[in-house]
Amino acid sequence: MVTTVKNNRVLPVLIITACLTLFYCLLDPSVERFGAATVLFGQPPAPDTAGGAAQSSTPGSTNSKPAQPDDNGKLTEDDVLLIMKTGGTTVYRRLLVHLLTSLSPERINPSNVVIYSDYAETIGSFTTVNILANMTPTTQSNSEFDIYHAVPQYIAHNVYPESANIEGDVSGPDGGWVLDKYKFLPLMDHAGRTWPRARWYVYMEDDTYLFLPNVLAYLSSFDWKAPHYLGSTAFKANVTFAHGGSGFALSRGAWEKSFGQNPQLVEDFDEYTSQHGCGDHILGRVLNEYGVRLGENGGDEQFSWGFNGVVHWGFPFKRANWCAPLLSWHKAHGRDVTRYYELEKTWDYQTPMLHGDFFKRIIAPDLDKRREWWDNMSSLFEITSSNADSAPAPQSKYNASLWADAWKSADACDAACEAWDECMQWSYYDDLCKLDDRLIMGSGYAPGMFQRKTGLMVTSGWYPERIASWVCN
């Protein structure tokens, strides 16, 4: 006998069961979507049943699921989780430009981005994760958390800590930098447990610009299953670590070997965090504790070039870094970020953008032969009236007579630089001549600034034509 829809008593039961199952999947944060578990902001990340948010095994073991299928080794944006760290007192001053540039959907899929802060709010298509919400009551009662409790109170009273110079705006409560150190461990823990299929966790701050295509090409030369911790070398309290503002990368293998081994790692280092001042140093100390060390050659604590801790106009370009890929700038203002982004869009990345490429396109067009009221931060050699007879001098060819007279005027300082065959720039102030074999753009004093009325003029000069000898193979 054929059963029809009209008299079928089984079909309604099946439909109800399917609806309940779908409803459960939509609510359950442990069900993965697009490679990442749904983040319940301000709540602990749920264990990832599909791939090991709570794994303690090492990559390649029977309990560890590979992050991505094997391919030709070239990373794409889908292989990384891009981590942006901001704060309640800087988010509207620094983050917004990134939403149109470095975090824009045309550059990276939003599902591969997470923004960590100390205050949860929705900005465009992103909701920032309040990564401090689950800190223990003891930690949150620390006086360093006063700013954490103050920011919501400011906002609730229509007082905005944005420094935008409009009505209702104030500089905000003090202490944001001190509070910042508490974010590093929980955000890295949260990132690894919530996005277990990422091959790399790439970290940046809201005043950092990462040249993402270059970063992906750089990381492609390393095995993501091995414990790699890569970034600009810094040292503090007997710990070598990656400088946070420069940006850094942690492989999934490194995460598994550290955070993956101990679900209580953040709590275990609460006291250490409260006793020290820098979150990037604290993260490095924790990684060292679990056998993960900074370095490009198996944790040798060395890094060549690429992740840079300064803005472009304060960076010393020289032979050693001229042909190295450019990975980041730090202390970048919104105007800088937009310039970097526009430059990045013009590069085809069939070959990486080198430091020299950046210099030729962004800095060289703005360099004059000489500028007054400008300091290019020359520093290698200093000649003054007091040391003219015994001033330090280079090993390469130079004119000793001109060198000794360099302190007498800006023209004399310029002449001494021109006569030294490795001199790239000079600066002159009062009776002090400084010469350097590096190229630094530096900064100046605009007309109307008080420095022009209260100090002596600084004059700087460059010899950028000499970079012709800095040839990249």
Side-chain angles (χ1 to χ4, degrees):
M1 179 179 177
V2 179
T3 303
T4 65
V5 173
K6 183 176 181 180
N7 61 10
N8 183 11
R9 299 179 180 180
V10 177
L11 184 59
V13 175
L14 293 176
I15 293 175
I16 293 172
T17 301
C19 291
L20 289 174
T21 301
L22 179 60
F23 181 69
Y24 168 78
C25 290
L26 291 173
L27 290 181
D28 186 0
S30 70
V31 178
E32 285 198 32
R33 301 171 187 83
F34 310 109
T38 298
V39 181
L40 296 184
F41 303 106
Q43 299 296 324
D48 184 86
T49 57
Q55 294 174 37
S56 60
S57 57
T58 57
S61 69
T62 56
N63 294 326
S64 178
K65 188 172 182 177
Q68 297 286 346
D70 289 336
D71 53 21
N72 60 9
K74 296 296 184 182
L75 294 174
T76 70
E77 63 177 51
D78 292 328
D79 297 314
V80 304
L81 176 68
L82 185 57
I83 297 170
M84 167 70 79
K85 179 175 67 62
T86 186
T89 60
T90 65
V91 60
Y92 284 99
R93 283 183 286 145
R94 296 181 179 178
L95 181 66
L96 300 187
V97 68
H98 286 284
L99 302 184
L100 299 174
T101 56
S102 60
L103 302 184
S104 63
E106 66 182 33
R107 187 174 189 258
I108 184 169
N109 190 319
S111 65
N112 296 106
V113 176
V114 59
I115 303 174
Y116 289 112
S117 181
D118 46 62
Y119 183 77
E121 53 190 323
T122 298
I123 306 174
S125 60
F126 292 101
T127 298
T128 61
V129 179
N130 178 358
I131 198 58
L132 301 181
N134 297 317
M135 301 297 284
T136 65
T138 300
T139 300
Q140 289 197 11
S141 66
N142 188 312
S143 62
E144 292 178 334
F145 271 71
D146 288 350
I147 184 174
Y148 173 77
H149 302 298
V151 167
Q153 295 169 355
Y154 273 54
I155 295 173
H157 287 78
N158 290 338
V159 180
Y160 308 118
E162 299 170 18
S163 295
N165 198 29
I166 58 177
E167 186 174 354
D169 173 62
V170 297
S171 60
D174 295 327
W177 186 84
V178 175
L179 181 69
D180 203 60
K181 68 180 182 179
Y182 289 94
K183 300 174 187 175
F184 280 76
L185 296 187
L187 74 78
M188 196 57 68
D189 182 74
H190 182 276
R193 298 187 189 283
T194 312
W195 285 269
R197 296 191 178 184
R199 293 184 176 188
W200 291 91
Y201 301 95
V202 180
Y203 171 94
M204 65 184 292
E205 299 187 351
D206 57 11
D207 62 347
T208 305
Y209 188 88
L210 291 179
F211 290 85
L212 188 60
N214 266 6
V215 172
L216 295 177
Y218 169 72
L219 295 179
S220 294
S221 63
F222 297 90
D223 180 3
W224 59 272
K225 297 182 290 296
H228 288 298
Y229 174 35
L230 305 167
S232 180
T233 305
F235 186 83
K236 182 181 178 68
N238 205 33
V239 176
T240 301
F241 59 95
H243 177 240
S246 305
F248 63 82
L250 192 72
S251 68
R252 180 65 192 183
W255 191 94
E256 290 279 7
K257 190 174 181 178
S258 52
F259 291 91
Q261 296 291 332
N262 181 5
Q264 297 299 119
L265 186 149
V266 177
E267 290 79 3
D268 289 350
F269 282 86
D270 271 353
E271 184 176 354
Y272 186 87
T273 299
S274 66
Q275 292 176 349
H276 293 81
C278 299
D280 45 7
H281 154 242
I282 294 165
L283 175 62
R285 168 68 176 79
V286 168
L287 293 173
N288 284 188
E289 182 78 11
Y290 286 85
V292 178
R293 294 188 175 275
L294 178 73
E296 295 179 295
N297 301 292
D300 61 353
E301 299 188 340
Q302 300 296 315
F303 178 75
S304 52
W305 298 101
F307 290 109
N308 297 314
V310 296
V311 71
H312 71 277
W313 50 261
F315 181 80
F317 292 85
K318 55 186 178 181
R319 286 181 183 270
N321 57 44
W322 191 253
C323 300
L326 174 61
L327 304 180
S328 73
W329 294 122
H330 183 217
K331 300 185 183 298
H333 289 255
R335 186 180 296 274
D336 298 319
V337 170
T338 58
R339 293 184 72 194
Y340 303 156
Y341 180 64
E342 292 304 318
L343 173 63
E344 182 183 279
K345 290 197 298 183
T346 68
W347 199 260
D348 63 10
Y349 288 97
Q350 296 302 310
T351 57
M353 184 191 299
L354 308 179
H355 285 78
D357 297 321
F358 181 94
F359 181 91
K360 292 174 184 177
R361 286 160 177 77
I362 297 295
I363 296 179
D366 291 332
L367 280 190
D368 302 320
K369 179 66 176 176
R370 181 186 294 194
R371 284 189 183 182
E372 296 181 340
W373 293 106
W374 193 277
D375 184 3
N376 64 11
M377 299 185 280
S378 297
S379 62
L380 185 58
F381 294 106
E382 297 186 0
I383 307 167
T384 70
S385 56
S386 61
N387 74 353
D389 295 333
S390 58
Q395 298 295 315
S396 55
K397 182 181 177 181
Y398 76 104
N399 185 304
S401 177
L402 293 176
W403 198 267
D405 289 341
W407 62 273
K408 294 182 177 180
S409 67
D411 288 340
C413 187
D414 188 358
C417 181
E418 184 176 18
W420 171 30
D421 60 0
E422 293 184 0
C423 188
M424 303 301 292
Q425 64 176 44
W426 58 272
S427 69
Y428 184 81
Y429 172 82
D430 198 5
D431 72 342
L432 173 62
C433 173
K434 298 182 180 181
L435 305 106
D436 215 310
D437 62 357
R438 307 168 299 171
L439 282 167
I440 307 172
M441 186 178 193
S443 60
Y445 304 107
M449 292 179 66
F450 75 89
Q451 288 88 346
R452 290 207 182 199
K453 301 176 182 179
T454 59
L456 297 177
M457 182 171 67
V458 182
T459 304
S460 294
W462 299 265
Y463 283 86
E465 65 273 12
R466 292 181 172 178
I467 63 175
S469 64
W470 296 359
V471 179
C472 299
N473 297 324

Short mmCIF file of all heavy atoms in Angstrom, two decimals, residues 291-335:
data_model
loop_
_atom_site.label_atom_id
_atom_site.label_comp_id
_atom_site.label_asym_id
_atom_site.label_seq_id
_atom_site.Cartn_x
_atom_site.Cartn_y
_atom_site.Cartn_z
N GLY A 291 59.27 25.98 25.63
CA GLY A 291 60.24 25.57 24.63
C GLY A 291 60.08 26.20 23.26
O GLY A 291 60.64 25.71 22.28
N VAL A 292 59.33 27.29 23.17
CA VAL A 292 59.15 28.00 21.90
C VAL A 292 59.97 29.28 21.98
O VAL A 292 59.70 30.15 22.82
CB VAL A 292 57.68 28.34 21.63
CG1 VAL A 292 57.54 29.14 20.34
CG2 VAL A 292 56.84 27.07 21.57
N ARG A 293 60.95 29.41 21.10
CA ARG A 293 61.83 30.56 21.13
C ARG A 293 61.80 31.33 19.82
O ARG A 293 61.59 30.75 18.76
CB ARG A 293 63.27 30.13 21.46
CG ARG A 293 63.40 29.56 22.86
CD ARG A 293 64.84 29.31 23.26
NE ARG A 293 64.93 28.88 24.64
CZ ARG A 293 64.98 29.69 25.69
NH1 ARG A 293 64.95 31.01 25.51
NH2 ARG A 293 65.05 29.23 26.92
N LEU A 294 62.03 32.61 19.93
CA LEU A 294 62.06 33.48 18.76
C LEU A 294 63.25 33.14 17.88
O LEU A 294 64.32 32.79 18.37
CB LEU A 294 62.17 34.94 19.22
CG LEU A 294 62.26 36.00 18.12
CD1 LEU A 294 60.91 36.17 17.44
CD2 LEU A 294 62.73 37.33 18.70
N GLY A 295 63.06 33.24 16.58
CA GLY A 295 64.20 33.08 15.68
C GLY A 295 63.83 32.43 14.36
O GLY A 295 62.91 31.62 14.29
N GLU A 296 64.58 32.79 13.33
CA GLU A 296 64.33 32.27 11.99
C GLU A 296 64.97 30.91 11.75
O GLU A 296 64.66 30.23 10.77
CB GLU A 296 64.85 33.26 10.94
CG GLU A 296 64.10 34.59 10.97
CD GLU A 296 64.65 35.57 9.95
OE1 GLU A 296 65.82 36.00 10.09
OE2 GLU A 296 63.91 35.91 9.01
N ASN A 297 65.87 30.51 12.62
CA ASN A 297 66.58 29.25 12.44
C ASN A 297 66.42 28.36 13.68
O ASN A 297 67.35 28.18 14.46
CB ASN A 297 68.07 29.51 12.16
CG ASN A 297 68.28 30.36 10.94
OD1 ASN A 297 68.01 29.92 9.83
ND2 ASN A 297 68.76 31.58 11.13
N GLY A 298 65.21 27.85 13.85
CA GLY A 298 64.96 26.94 14.96
C GLY A 298 65.07 27.58 16.32
O GLY A 298 65.56 26.95 17.27
N GLY A 299 64.61 28.82 16.46
CA GLY A 299 64.64 29.47 17.77
C GLY A 299 66.01 29.99 18.16
O GLY A 299 66.39 29.93 19.33
N ASP A 300 66.76 30.52 17.17
CA ASP A 300 68.10 31.04 17.44
C ASP A 300 68.10 32.45 17.99
O ASP A 300 69.15 33.05 18.20
CB ASP A 300 68.95 30.98 16.17
CG ASP A 300 68.36 31.83 15.03
OD1 ASP A 300 67.25 32.34 15.20
OD2 ASP A 300 69.03 31.94 13.99
N GLU A 301 66.91 33.02 18.23
CA GLU A 301 66.73 34.36 18.78
C GLU A 301 67.27 35.44 17.85
O GLU A 301 67.60 36.54 18.29
CB GLU A 301 67.36 34.47 20.18
CG GLU A 301 66.74 33.50 21.18
CD GLU A 301 67.20 33.71 22.60
OE1 GLU A 301 68.26 34.34 22.80
OE2 GLU A 301 66.51 33.27 23.54
N GLN A 302 67.32 35.15 16.57
CA GLN A 302 67.80 36.11 15.59
C GLN A 302 66.72 36.39 14.55
O GLN A 302 65.93 35.52 14.21
CB GLN A 302 69.06 35.59 14.88
CG GLN A 302 70.23 35.31 15.81
CD GLN A 302 70.74 36.57 16.50
OE1 GLN A 302 70.90 37.61 15.85
NE2 GLN A 302 70.98 36.49 17.80
N PHE A 303 66.71 37.63 14.07
CA PHE A 303 65.81 38.00 12.98
C PHE A 303 66.53 39.01 12.11
O PHE A 303 67.21 39.91 12.63
CB PHE A 303 64.51 38.62 13.53
CG PHE A 303 63.56 39.08 12.45
CD1 PHE A 303 62.82 38.15 11.74
CD2 PHE A 303 63.42 40.42 12.15
CE1 PHE A 303 61.96 38.56 10.72
CE2 PHE A 303 62.57 40.84 11.15
CZ PHE A 303 61.83 39.90 10.44
N SER A 304 66.43 38.87 10.81
CA SER A 304 67.18 39.73 9.92
C SER A 304 66.49 41.08 9.74
O SER A 304 66.77 42.05 10.43
CB SER A 304 67.42 39.04 8.57
OG SER A 304 66.19 38.55 8.03
N TRP A 305 65.54 41.16 8.80
CA TRP A 305 64.85 42.42 8.54
C TRP A 305 63.42 42.16 8.12
O TRP A 305 63.09 41.09 7.65
CB TRP A 305 65.57 43.22 7.44
CG TRP A 305 66.96 43.62 7.78
CD1 TRP A 305 68.11 43.02 7.35
CD2 TRP A 305 67.36 44.67 8.64
NE1 TRP A 305 69.21 43.63 7.88
CE2 TRP A 305 68.78 44.66 8.69
CE3 TRP A 305 66.67 45.63 9.38
CZ2 TRP A 305 69.50 45.57 9.44
CZ3 TRP A 305 67.41 46.53 10.13
CH2 TRP A 305 68.80 46.50 10.15
N GLY A 306 62.60 43.18 8.25
CA GLY A 306 61.25 43.09 7.71
C GLY A 306 60.20 43.65 8.63
O GLY A 306 59.47 44.58 8.28
N PHE A 307 60.07 43.08 9.84
CA PHE A 307 59.15 43.63 10.83
C PHE A 307 59.86 44.83 11.49
O PHE A 307 60.87 44.65 12.18
CB PHE A 307 58.80 42.58 11.90
CG PHE A 307 57.93 41.47 11.40
CD1 PHE A 307 58.44 40.19 11.25
CD2 PHE A 307 56.60 41.67 11.10
CE1 PHE A 307 57.64 39.14 10.81
CE2 PHE A 307 55.78 40.64 10.65
CZ PHE A 307 56.31 39.37 10.51
N ASN A 308 59.34 46.02 11.27
CA ASN A 308 60.04 47.24 11.70
C ASN A 308 59.30 47.96 12.82
O ASN A 308 58.09 48.13 12.75
CB ASN A 308 60.22 48.18 10.51
CG ASN A 308 61.08 47.55 9.43
OD1 ASN A 308 62.14 46.99 9.72
ND2 ASN A 308 60.65 47.64 8.17
N GLY A 309 60.05 48.39 13.82
CA GLY A 309 59.46 49.00 15.00
C GLY A 309 59.27 50.50 14.93
O GLY A 309 58.90 51.12 15.94
N VAL A 310 59.51 51.11 13.77
CA VAL A 310 59.36 52.56 13.63
C VAL A 310 58.56 52.87 12.37
O VAL A 310 58.32 51.99 11.53
CB VAL A 310 60.73 53.27 13.56
CG1 VAL A 310 61.51 53.09 14.85
CG2 VAL A 310 61.55 52.74 12.37
N VAL A 311 58.17 54.13 12.23
CA VAL A 311 57.48 54.58 11.03
C VAL A 311 58.51 54.78 9.92
O VAL A 311 59.72 54.91 10.19
CB VAL A 311 56.71 55.89 11.33
CG1 VAL A 311 57.69 57.05 11.54
CG2 VAL A 311 55.69 56.19 10.26
N HIS A 312 58.07 54.86 8.68
CA HIS A 312 59.01 54.86 7.55
C HIS A 312 59.97 56.04 7.57
O HIS A 312 61.14 55.90 7.20
CB HIS A 312 58.23 54.85 6.23
CG HIS A 312 57.51 56.12 5.91
ND1 HIS A 312 56.26 56.42 6.43
CD2 HIS A 312 57.86 57.18 5.13
CE1 HIS A 312 55.88 57.60 5.98
NE2 HIS A 312 56.82 58.08 5.19
N TRP A 313 59.51 57.20 8.02
CA TRP A 313 60.40 58.36 7.97
C TRP A 313 61.43 58.39 9.10
O TRP A 313 62.33 59.23 9.11
CB TRP A 313 59.61 59.67 7.93
CG TRP A 313 58.53 59.85 8.97
CD1 TRP A 313 57.19 59.65 8.80
CD2 TRP A 313 58.70 60.29 10.32
NE1 TRP A 313 56.51 59.94 9.96
CE2 TRP A 313 57.42 60.34 10.90
CE3 TRP A 313 59.81 60.66 11.08
CZ2 TRP A 313 57.22 60.74 12.23
CZ3 TRP A 313 59.61 61.06 12.40
CH2 TRP A 313 58.33 61.09 12.96
N GLY A 314 61.31 57.44 10.05
CA GLY A 314 62.30 57.32 11.10
C GLY A 314 63.19 56.10 10.95
O GLY A 314 64.01 55.80 11.82
N PHE A 315 63.06 55.40 9.83
CA PHE A 315 63.78 54.14 9.61
C PHE A 315 65.10 54.38 8.88
O PHE A 315 65.13 55.12 7.89
CB PHE A 315 62.91 53.19 8.79
CG PHE A 315 63.55 51.85 8.52
CD1 PHE A 315 63.55 50.87 9.48
CD2 PHE A 315 64.16 51.60 7.29
CE1 PHE A 315 64.13 49.64 9.23
CE2 PHE A 315 64.75 50.37 7.03
CZ PHE A 315 64.74 49.39 8.01
N PRO A 316 66.19 53.74 9.34
CA PRO A 316 67.48 53.89 8.65
C PRO A 316 67.63 52.88 7.51
O PRO A 316 67.81 51.69 7.73
CB PRO A 316 68.50 53.61 9.76
CG PRO A 316 67.80 52.68 10.70
CD PRO A 316 66.34 53.05 10.63
N PHE A 317 67.54 53.35 6.28
CA PHE A 317 67.76 52.50 5.11
C PHE A 317 69.27 52.39 4.89
O PHE A 317 69.99 53.40 4.88
CB PHE A 317 67.09 53.11 3.87
CG PHE A 317 65.59 53.09 3.93
CD1 PHE A 317 64.91 54.12 4.57
CD2 PHE A 317 64.87 52.06 3.35
CE1 PHE A 317 63.51 54.11 4.63
CE2 PHE A 317 63.48 52.05 3.40
CZ PHE A 317 62.80 53.07 4.04
N LYS A 318 69.74 51.16 4.68
CA LYS A 318 71.17 50.93 4.48
C LYS A 318 71.38 49.67 3.65
O LYS A 318 70.43 48.97 3.31
CB LYS A 318 71.87 50.82 5.82
CG LYS A 318 71.30 49.77 6.77
CD LYS A 318 71.98 49.85 8.13
CE LYS A 318 71.41 48.85 9.12
NZ LYS A 318 72.05 48.94 10.45
N ARG A 319 72.62 49.40 3.33
CA ARG A 319 72.94 48.25 2.49
C ARG A 319 72.37 46.96 3.05
O ARG A 319 71.89 46.09 2.31
CB ARG A 319 74.45 48.10 2.33
CG ARG A 319 75.10 49.13 1.42
CD ARG A 319 76.59 48.86 1.32
NE ARG A 319 77.28 49.86 0.50
CZ ARG A 319 77.47 49.75 -0.80
NH1 ARG A 319 77.00 48.69 -1.46
NH2 ARG A 319 78.12 50.69 -1.46
N ALA A 320 72.41 46.80 4.37
CA ALA A 320 72.03 45.54 5.01
C ALA A 320 70.56 45.22 4.86
O ALA A 320 70.17 44.04 4.88
CB ALA A 320 72.42 45.57 6.49
N ASN A 321 69.70 46.25 4.73
CA ASN A 321 68.26 45.98 4.63
C ASN A 321 67.67 46.38 3.28
O ASN A 321 66.50 46.12 3.02
CB ASN A 321 67.50 46.68 5.76
CG ASN A 321 67.72 48.18 5.80
OD1 ASN A 321 67.70 48.86 4.78
ND2 ASN A 321 67.94 48.70 7.00
N TRP A 322 68.46 47.00 2.42
CA TRP A 322 67.97 47.54 1.16
C TRP A 322 67.26 46.49 0.31
O TRP A 322 66.25 46.75 -0.32
CB TRP A 322 69.14 48.14 0.39
CG TRP A 322 68.77 48.96 -0.80
CD1 TRP A 322 68.93 48.62 -2.12
CD2 TRP A 322 68.20 50.27 -0.80
NE1 TRP A 322 68.52 49.63 -2.94
CE2 TRP A 322 68.05 50.67 -2.16
CE3 TRP A 322 67.80 51.15 0.20
CZ2 TRP A 322 67.52 51.90 -2.52
CZ3 TRP A 322 67.28 52.38 -0.17
CH2 TRP A 322 67.13 52.74 -1.51
N CYS A 323 67.80 45.27 0.29
CA CYS A 323 67.27 44.20 -0.56
C CYS A 323 66.42 43.19 0.21
O CYS A 323 66.10 42.12 -0.30
CB CYS A 323 68.42 43.48 -1.27
SG CYS A 323 69.41 44.57 -2.32
N ALA A 324 66.05 43.54 1.45
CA ALA A 324 65.22 42.65 2.27
C ALA A 324 63.75 42.99 2.09
O ALA A 324 63.39 44.17 1.98
CB ALA A 324 65.61 42.78 3.74
N PRO A 325 62.85 41.98 2.06
CA PRO A 325 61.42 42.25 1.94
C PRO A 325 60.91 43.10 3.10
O PRO A 325 61.32 42.92 4.25
CB PRO A 325 60.79 40.86 1.96
CG PRO A 325 61.88 39.96 1.47
CD PRO A 325 63.15 40.54 2.02
N LEU A 326 60.01 44.01 2.80
CA LEU A 326 59.40 44.90 3.80
C LEU A 326 58.14 44.24 4.33
O LEU A 326 57.22 43.93 3.57
CB LEU A 326 59.07 46.25 3.16
CG LEU A 326 58.29 47.25 4.00
CD1 LEU A 326 59.07 47.62 5.25
CD2 LEU A 326 57.98 48.49 3.17
N LEU A 327 58.07 44.03 5.65
CA LEU A 327 56.92 43.35 6.26
C LEU A 327 56.01 44.28 7.04
O LEU A 327 54.81 44.05 7.10
CB LEU A 327 57.42 42.21 7.17
CG LEU A 327 58.32 41.17 6.50
CD1 LEU A 327 58.74 40.11 7.50
CD2 LEU A 327 57.65 40.54 5.30
N SER A 328 56.56 45.32 7.66
CA SER A 328 55.69 46.18 8.47
C SER A 328 56.33 47.51 8.78
O SER A 328 57.56 47.67 8.70
CB SER A 328 55.33 45.48 9.79
OG SER A 328 56.44 45.46 10.67
N TRP A 329 55.47 48.47 9.18
CA TRP A 329 55.90 49.71 9.82
C TRP A 329 55.10 49.85 11.11
O TRP A 329 53.96 49.38 11.20
CB TRP A 329 55.63 50.93 8.94
CG TRP A 329 56.42 51.01 7.67
CD1 TRP A 329 55.92 51.09 6.40
CD2 TRP A 329 57.85 51.06 7.54
NE1 TRP A 329 56.93 51.17 5.49
CE2 TRP A 329 58.14 51.16 6.16
CE3 TRP A 329 58.91 51.02 8.44
CZ2 TRP A 329 59.43 51.22 5.65
CZ3 TRP A 329 60.20 51.08 7.94
CH2 TRP A 329 60.46 51.18 6.58
N HIS A 330 55.67 50.53 12.08
CA HIS A 330 55.01 50.77 13.37
C HIS A 330 54.91 52.27 13.61
O HIS A 330 55.56 53.05 12.94
CB HIS A 330 55.81 50.08 14.48
CG HIS A 330 55.21 50.20 15.85
ND1 HIS A 330 55.96 50.37 16.99
CD2 HIS A 330 53.91 50.16 16.25
CE1 HIS A 330 55.15 50.43 18.04
NE2 HIS A 330 53.91 50.32 17.62
N LYS A 331 54.07 52.64 14.58
CA LYS A 331 53.81 54.05 14.91
C LYS A 331 53.27 54.80 13.70
O LYS A 331 53.57 55.98 13.49
CB LYS A 331 55.07 54.71 15.47
CG LYS A 331 55.60 54.05 16.74
CD LYS A 331 56.75 54.82 17.31
CE LYS A 331 57.32 54.12 18.54
NZ LYS A 331 56.37 54.00 19.64
N ALA A 332 52.46 54.12 12.92
CA ALA A 332 51.91 54.71 11.70
C ALA A 332 50.61 55.46 12.01
O ALA A 332 49.72 54.92 12.66
CB ALA A 332 51.64 53.62 10.68
N HIS A 333 50.53 56.68 11.54
CA HIS A 333 49.29 57.46 11.65
C HIS A 333 48.35 57.08 10.51
O HIS A 333 48.75 56.42 9.54
CB HIS A 333 49.61 58.95 11.61
CG HIS A 333 50.28 59.45 12.86
ND1 HIS A 333 49.63 60.19 13.81
CD2 HIS A 333 51.54 59.29 13.32
CE1 HIS A 333 50.45 60.48 14.80
NE2 HIS A 333 51.63 59.94 14.53
N GLY A 334 47.10 57.52 10.61
CA GLY A 334 46.12 57.18 9.59
C GLY A 334 46.57 57.59 8.19
O GLY A 334 46.37 56.86 7.22
N ARG A 335 47.19 58.75 8.07
CA ARG A 335 47.67 59.21 6.77
C ARG A 335 48.73 58.27 6.22
O ARG A 335 48.78 57.97 5.02
CB ARG A 335 48.22 60.63 6.89
CG ARG A 335 48.61 61.25 5.55
CD ARG A 335 49.15 62.65 5.76
NE ARG A 335 48.14 63.55 6.31
CZ ARG A 335 47.26 64.22 5.58
NH1 ARG A 335 47.25 64.09 4.27
NH2 ARG A 335 46.38 65.01 6.15
#
